[in-house]
Amino acid sequence: MNPRLQTALRIAGGAAVLAVCGGALAVVVLAPWPGVQRDPVQVTARPEPDTTVVACAGPLVAAGQGDASAATFVDAAGSEVVVAAAAPAVSDAAAIAAPDVIGGAGAASFSAAPVDRIRAELAASGSSRVQSAELSGFAASACVPPQLESWLVGGSAATGAADVLVLANPGDVASSVDVTIYGGTGAQQPAAGVDIVVPAGSQRVVPIASLGLGEQLPVLRVTAGEAPVSAWLQTSIIRTLDPGGVDQVDAAAVPAQSQTIPAVSVVRAPGEAGATDITTILRMLAPSAPGAATVTVTRVGASAPARTDAVTLEAGVPLELELGGLDVGTYTVRVDADVPVTAAVWETSGFAAGDDFAWYPAASRLNVPSLVAVADGPGGTLTIAAGARDAVVEVAAGAGAAASETVTVAAGTAASIAVDAGETYRLVGDTDDFSAALTYQGDGALASVPVLPGDAAAEPIVVVP
Amino acid sequence: MPARVHALLVVRPDGRVPADLHLRRTLAALSAQTRAVDALTIVICGEDERTRRIAAESRAEAVIGAGRTTTYAQALRIAGHRLRGDAVWLLAQDTAPEPNALARLAGALEAAPSMAFAAPKLVRWDDRSRLVSLGISMTRFGRSVVLAAGELDQGQYDGGEDVLAADVRGILVRTDVWRDLDGLDHALGGADEGLDLGVRARLAGHRVALAPAAVVAVAGDGVAAPPAGDDLRERLHRISVERTAQLHRRLAYAPASAVLLHWLSLLPLALWRIVVDLVAKRPLRIGPDVAASVVVLVRLGALVRARRRIRRAKRRSWSLLAPLRITRAGLSSRLLDATHTVGEGREELRFFSGGGAWTVLAFALVSVVTLPGLLAWPALGGGALLPLRPTVAGLWADAAFGPRPIGWALSGPADPFSLVVALLGSLSPASPSRAIVVLWLLALPVAALGGWFAATRLTTRSGLRIVVASMWALAPTLLTALADGRPAAVIVHLALPWLLFTAAVAHRSWASAAAGSLLVALVLACAPSLAPALACLWIVALVLVAVHGARGFARVCWLIVPAVVVFWPLGLERWRTGDLWALLADPGAVGAGDTATDGSLAALALRLAGFPTPDAAGWQLLLPEGMPLWVLALVAAPVALLAAASVFARRALPAMVLVLMATTGLLTAVFADAVVVSAVEGVAVPLFAAPALSLAWAGLVGAAVVALDRLPMPSPARVTASALMLSVVVVAAVAPLSASLRDASGLTNGPTSTLPAYVAAEGGGGRSEGTLVLTPLADGSMSSRVVWGGTESLGGASTLSSARTGVVDDDAVLARLTADLVTSSAAQSTDDLAAHGIGFVLVEIPADESDAARAIRLESINNLNQRDGLDNVGEAGDRVLWRIAVDVDERAATAAQQRVQAGIALWQLAVVAVCLLLAVPTAETRADARRRSRIVGAGGRA
C-alpha cells in the first residue's frame, strides 16, 4: 500500500473512532435517558393497640364531718353509670378503690380489649343528683381514659368553695402525679401538689384549698408519671349557708390556638328578677406565652355571633370574661388566640337555694369516630359545633348499631339534637374539624360532658426497615 | 527375501481430510514400488463413492467395506482373514512410500530372521526433509517418546539401529509374528499401537529394527496413529487418545501384583494431573486427561484381554527392555532443544534506573505527610467506612453464604465485596480494621506503582512512565475516594492499572490471563457498576483476537470466568427475585453523602472531568468567591485533547481501545446518577461514579501517553505537553490532599464498633445475638434495622439489604414489631424479639434532629422505658440502649444453608485455586515472556 493512502486511512480510522465515542457521549449527556429508579422501602405499620380503659369519677364526695379530719371525705350521693362499648369489643368492669373516702363505694373502670389489632371504642359516663346541707344540684361526668397530662379549668379555692381534685388510676402500676396550679401569680407547683401517689386501681381526692388557698380562678395542670391517670374537678359552692350547686368538671381540651365550647345553656335571661349577677363567665388560660384572643359567642342554630370580645392574655395567668346579656338559649363559645389557650365556661341557673351551676369545658376535635354515653339526667342534648368547614355528622344510637341520624352543620355554626338517657351514640364526621358536647338542663340541674375523640393512641408509624 | 508381501491399506473417508487425494497419492506410490506388493487389501471405513471408485480402480485383490467407527486395529483384524503371504505391510490412506521403500523394508526383514518387523523413516507429507518419527521408545514410567520427531533429516539417523518400537504406519511385519501377537490392541484407541506391538514383539523374543533407507511420507489424517492437525478438536482428540493409551499400557504392562494399586491410583493421579496441567499452563488438557482416566478406570474387559495377549506371547523378561527405554538424560536434552527458540526479545524494565522507584517513594512521603497520625489509629471511620470484624473467622463468616449479619431474617449469598474485605482483613489478622488504615496510607504509593507498571505496556520512555504514575496517583477520583472514605472505590483505583497490565497481554499467556481474570473479579466485586463497561471492552478484545487470528482466544475468554463464578450466587438470587438491576448496586456501606449531580451541564462537565462528587473533591469550600466550580473541569482538558490526538498516531490500535475504554467509563459515570437501586435510611442513593471515572481516567491517561510517545513531535513539545498535563492535575490535587490538614476530611479515628461496647462485651464477638437499631428520621418515620454481632461491619454489609426491590414479609414483621415497641402497644413484642435472637434495642439520636424526629424519638424512648422485659442499660450522648431481660434464643444457620454455603465456598475456592495455579510463573512462562516485548500493540492488540 502506498504510504499516502496509509496515512489517509489512519486519519480516517482515528476520526471514525473519535466520532463514535464523542457521539455516544454527546447523545447520553444531552438526551434525557430513562433511568432505573427504585423507591426506598418503607412500611406503614399500625402498632398493636392497647386495651381501651376508661375510669369514672365515681360518686360526689363531701368533706368529712364530726370527728373526721379535713383530709377525709364521705360519699355524698351515689352515681349512676351508663356504659357502652362498640361492637365487637366487650367491656369488662373493675372497681376503683377510694381510700380517701371513708366507707366510700369507690368508682368503676371499664376496659375493652382490641379486636383484630383495632382499638376498641369505649365510652361511659355517670351522673349524680344530690340535695343536702353542703351539696345540692346535678353533676355529670364522662369516664375518661387515663392521660399523662390533663388540664382542668374551673373551680375555686376561695372561701365557700369546697372543691376537690379527683385522680383515678385504673392501671396496674402506681402513678406519681404532679399538679401545677395557674393563678393570679402565674404557675405554681404547691408542695401538696408534688408526687401525689395514686396507687394502682385506686382513686385519690385532693382538696384544691391545699394546693392554692384563696385562689379565685385556678386552672390545674395534672401531670402523671410512671402511669397515666384520669382527673376531674368536683366543684361546689355554699353562699352564706345555702348550697349553690355542684358539678364534676371534665378535663378541657389541651391548649391550642383555637378552642371550642360547643354548648353553653343560658337558662336565665338578663333583666329578669334576681339577675343581679352575671350568670355566664368564660375562664381561659394561655399557659406558656402571652397573647391576644378573640371570643365569639354564637347561638346554636344561628350564624351571626351574639357577641364578640377581644382580650389580652398574660402568660400563665387565668383570665375571666363575663359574657352578660345573653338571652335564654344554647350558645357556642369559640376562642381564637395567637398562642395556645385552654378554656371553660361557667354557667349558673341562679344564685338562690336550689339553683345549680355547671362548667362547660372546651371540647377536643373529633377526628375519629367517637362514642358518647348519655347518663341519666334531665334534658339531655347533644350539640355539634363545626369548625372552619361544613361538617356532616352521622349520629347513631346503640353505640353505632342503630340507624344513624345525619346532622349537617354549616361552618362556624352549631346544631343540637335531643338524646335519650341511658343510650350510647356514635359520632362519625366527614371532617376532623368539629367538636361536640352533651348538656343536661332541668329544674335546678345544669351539667355538661364534652365528647372525647374515640381513639388517639394507635397512630400508624412509618418504619424504614 | 520373504516370498510374498501383503499390504493392508485402511481408508477412512470421513470428510474432514481430503481422503481421496491422499489415497490417490498412496496408491500411485504403491504402484511405483521397485519391489511390488504381492497383494493389496483395502479396507474402507465408511461410505464414500469416490474413494470406493478409486479403490476399485487400484490393483487391490479385495476392497472391504467397514463401519464408520471401525478403528485401525479393527480394520486390520477384518482384513487379517484374507492375509496371504509372509509379511504384512501396514498402510493407511495417507502413507505414501518412496519407490524403494518396500524393497528396503523387505531387505531388512530378510537380513535378520529374529526381527519381528522393520520400520521405515516417516517424513512429512509435504516436506520430505522433516522427520515425523524414527522409532518410538518409552520412559521408565511408560510414557511414549517419539524419536527424532520434528527434526530436520540430515541423514543423522541413517545408521539403522535397534529400537524398542516404531510408529505403526508403514511397518512391515512378519505374518507369523503378526498372528502370534494377535495384531494391534484395539483398546489403545489409536495411539501407541506401534509401541505396544513392538513391546509385545520384544517380549516374545523378537527384535525390532529401523530401516532408515525406507522412507514413507505421512499426512497425519488420523486413520492410523492420532491425527496430526493443529485445530482445537484434533489437538484435544490427540491428547485424549494418547493419555488413554498411556494409562491402558500402564495397567497392561504392570506386574499382576501392582495392577490393583495402579487401578486405584488412577483417580488421585487424575487430580494431580489437573494441578500439573494448570501449573504448566495447559488448562485445555484437563478435560481429555480426566476423560482418559475415567475411560481406563471402567474398561476392565479390555484390560483383561490386553494382559492375556501379553501373557500368551511372552517368552522373555521385562528387564530385557530396560536398555531400550529412553533415559532421563536423553529426555532432558530433547526438552532443551525444544525451548531454544529466539523471539524479538524484551527490553529492560528500568524500574530503579528509570525513576519508578523514586516516584513511588515520593508518593509514600506525600501520603505520610497528608495523613498525619493515621498510623496510630486502630480503625478508620467516616464516609462509607465501617469497622471490620475483629477476628479472621468473623471476616470469612461474613463472606460466606447464609444468614447475613444485617437485617431481620435476611439470608442468602454474600456480596463478592465481602470476600475482598475478608482477604484484606486477613492480611492483618490481629486487628483486621487496621488493614483499612494501612490501605489508606499505602494508597498513593501503590497507585503510583500500578500506574508505572501499566505504563510499561504503552511506552519505553521513563519520563512518560513517571508522568503516568503521577497522573494515576493524583487522579481526582482516588483523592475524592480517600477523602470521603470510599474503600471500594479506592481498591478499584489501585487494582485497575494491574488489570490493564495483565489483561492487555492475556492473549499471550495463561499466567497473564489468570492474573487478569482474578483482577477482573476483584474490580467487579468492588464496583459491579463497571460490569457493562468491562463487558463491552471484553467483547472488543475477543473480536480483536479473533480478527488477528491470534492463539489466545480461550485465554481472553477465561478473563471473565472467576468474576462470573464469584457473582453467580448473587446473580441467581437477583434473577429469582426478578431484579437484575440491583446487581449493579455499590457494595459495602451505602454512603449517605450526596453524590448525584444536579443535572446541569456544568455539573456534568465537572463529573466527566473526573470529580465523582458535586463538591469537586473539596474545592467547593476553597475556591474564591465568584469563581464557578466548573473551571475545575479544565483539569482534564489537556489529557483529553492528547487522548483525542492519540488515535491518529502510528500503530494506533491500543490508543483506539484506550479511547473506547475512556468512553465506556464516562458513559457509565453519566448513567450512574440515573441508576438508583440503593437506599439508606429511607433516602435513595444513586450509584457512585468514582469507579467508572477511574476507568475513564485510565483510558484517557493511557491514550494521552500513546499520543506523546508515538506522535511525531520535537522533544521540547513532548516535555511541555507532559508538564502541562501533569501540572494541572497536581494543582487540582491540592484541595483533597490537604483535607486532613485543614480538618475538612470526612475521616475519623475509629470507631472500632458501631454499637455500644456493652453489646460487643455481652455478645462475645459472635454473630448470634442481634441488636435492633432504631433511628428517628427527619420526616418523622423510624428507621429500623437489625445488626447481628458486636458491630456493623464493612464485610457484613449486604446489597440484599441496601438494594432492596420491595417490601418482603420480613420487612412487614420488623415494621410491626418496631411500631409495637415504640408506641404504648399492648403487644408482647420483646418476647418476639428474644425468640428471634435479638438481645438489644438501641435508639440512635441523629446529629441534626428535626422536630418530627425529636417527637418520635422522645415518644419511643418514653415507651421503651416503660415496656416490660426491657432494661435500660445506658445512655450515651447520642444513643440509648436497652437489654432484653428474658432469655434470648440463638440465631443459627440451618443445615440446608450450611450445605449451600459449603458448595459455594468450594466452587469459589476451586476457581481461585485454578487461577492461582495458572498464574504461578514457571521457567517456561518466564522464558516465553522474555521473548515478547513489554509494549502491547506493536502488532497485536491492546
Side-chain angles (χ1 to χ4, degrees), chain A residues 250-292:
Chain A
D250 288 302
V254 293
Q257 291 191 352
S258 166
Q259 295 285 9
T260 304
I261 297 148
V264 176
S265 312
V266 177
V267 291
R268 258 173 95 97
E272 274 186 29
T276 52
D277 237 331
I278 300 297
T279 60
T280 312
I281 299 173
L282 170 70
R283 183 183 295 182
M284 56 184 163
L285 167 73
S288 49

Side-chain angles (χ1 to χ4, degrees), chain B residues 660-860:
Chain B
L660 185 70
M661 183 162 92
T663 308
T664 56
L666 292 176
L667 289 177
T668 309
V670 173
F671 269 120
D673 277 355
V675 179
V676 185
V677 288
S678 303
V680 57
E681 291 185 342
V683 180
V685 180
L687 295 181
F688 192 42
L693 290 173
S694 286
L695 185 71
W697 191 253
L700 288 176
V701 172
V705 163
V706 171
L708 288 172
D709 186 56
R710 297 185 194 170
L711 279 182
M713 62 172 91
S715 186
R718 179 173 295 130
V719 171
T720 314
S722 313
L724 177 71
M725 180 172 82
L726 185 57
S727 55
V728 286
V729 173
V730 171
V731 169
V734 168
L737 276 182
S738 63
S740 280
L741 303 172
R742 288 182 293 122
D743 255 352
S745 158
L747 299 178
T748 59
N749 180 2
T752 51
S753 167
T754 60
L755 298 179
Y758 186 91
V759 177
E762 286 276 300
R767 302 196 312 157
S768 62
E769 198 159 66
T771 305
L772 181 67
V773 181
L774 305 173
T775 312
L777 302 181
D779 62 350
S781 57
M782 184 66 107
S783 158
S784 172
R785 62 192 201 277
V786 179
V787 177
W788 298 91
T791 176
E792 274 178 274
S793 68
L794 195 57
S798 172
T799 51
L800 290 182
S801 163
S802 63
R804 215 124 30 120
T805 51
V807 179
V808 294
D809 292 350
D810 287 346
D811 293 334
V813 172
L814 181 61
R816 181 173 58 75
L817 275 171
T818 304
D820 286 353
L821 270 179
V822 300
T823 58
S824 61
S825 149
Q828 290 299 309
S829 33
T830 52
D831 291 350
D832 291 350
L833 290 180
H836 194 69
I838 292 174
F840 299 94
V841 178
L842 183 74
V843 172
E844 286 184 335
I845 304 167
D848 39 1
E849 199 175 32
S850 72
D851 285 346
R854 191 171 50 80
I856 192 167
R857 191 248 303 172
L858 290 175
E859 185 195 344
S860 306

Side-chain angles (χ1 to χ4, degrees), chain A residues 148-313:
Chain A
L148 287 173
E149 192 171 83
S150 309
W151 292 83
L152 293 165
V153 182
S156 168
T159 314
D163 297 358
V164 293
L165 175 65
V166 179
L167 301 169
N169 176 7
D172 301 325
V173 187
S175 178
S176 159
V177 177
D178 292 336
V179 181
T180 305
I181 183 160
Y182 292 83
T185 53
Q188 282 183 350
Q189 180 99 60
V194 176
D195 203 9
I196 303 166
V197 175
V198 186
S202 299
Q203 183 198 64
R204 292 294 303 274
V205 180
V206 182
I208 300 297
S210 70
L211 298 171
L213 186 60
E215 197 56 69
Q216 295 282 346
L217 12 149
V219 173
L220 304 178
R221 187 184 72 189
V222 177
T223 312
E226 321 283 319
V229 294
S230 307
W232 301 265
L233 186 66
Q234 181 193 318
T235 175
S236 60
I237 187 128
I238 293 180
R239 296 197 184 85
T240 48
L241 288 175
D242 297 328
V246 67
D247 197 20
Q248 282 174 323
V249 187
D250 288 302
V254 293
Q257 291 191 352
S258 166
Q259 295 285 9
T260 304
I261 297 148
V264 176
S265 312
V266 177
V267 291
R268 258 173 95 97
E272 274 186 29
T276 52
D277 237 331
I278 300 297
T279 60
T280 312
I281 299 173
L282 170 70
R283 183 183 295 182
M284 56 184 163
L285 167 73
S288 49
T294 308
V295 178
T296 313
V297 183
T298 316
R299 187 186 264 273
V300 170
S303 55
R307 63 176 289 165
T308 307
D309 299 87
V311 291
T312 312
L313 295 163

Side-chain angles (χ1 to χ4, degrees), chain A residues 30-231:
Chain A
L30 297 177
W33 285 88
V36 180
Q37 181 82 37
R38 294 277 142 72
D39 292 327
V41 172
Q42 59 178 33
V43 183
T44 301
R46 187 172 286 278
E48 186 168 326
D50 210 343
T51 303
T52 313
V53 176
V54 293
C56 300
L60 291 168
V61 295
Q65 290 161 338
D67 58 333
S69 72
T72 55
F73 299 87
V74 294
D75 282 348
S79 174
E80 286 197 316
V81 174
V82 176
V83 181
V90 265
S91 68
D92 295 316
I96 290 183
D100 291 338
V101 182
I102 296 168
S109 74
F110 300 92
S111 61
V115 176
D116 296 336
R117 289 179 77 85
I118 296 171
R119 196 176 169 94
E121 294 173 42
L122 179 64
S125 69
S127 64
S128 310
R129 183 179 275 284
V130 66
Q131 195 69 53
S132 72
E134 298 86 24
L135 294 172
S136 94
F138 176 76
S141 66
C143 301
V144 295
Q147 306 283 344
L148 287 173
E149 192 171 83
S150 309
W151 292 83
L152 293 165
V153 182
S156 168
T159 314
D163 297 358
V164 293
L165 175 65
V166 179
L167 301 169
N169 176 7
D172 301 325
V173 187
S175 178
S176 159
V177 177
D178 292 336
V179 181
T180 305
I181 183 160
Y182 292 83
T185 53
Q188 282 183 350
Q189 180 99 60
V194 176
D195 203 9
I196 303 166
V197 175
V198 186
S202 299
Q203 183 198 64
R204 292 294 303 274
V205 180
V206 182
I208 300 297
S210 70
L211 298 171
L213 186 60
E215 197 56 69
Q216 295 282 346
L217 12 149
V219 173
L220 304 178
R221 187 184 72 189
V222 177
T223 312
E226 321 283 319
V229 294
S230 307

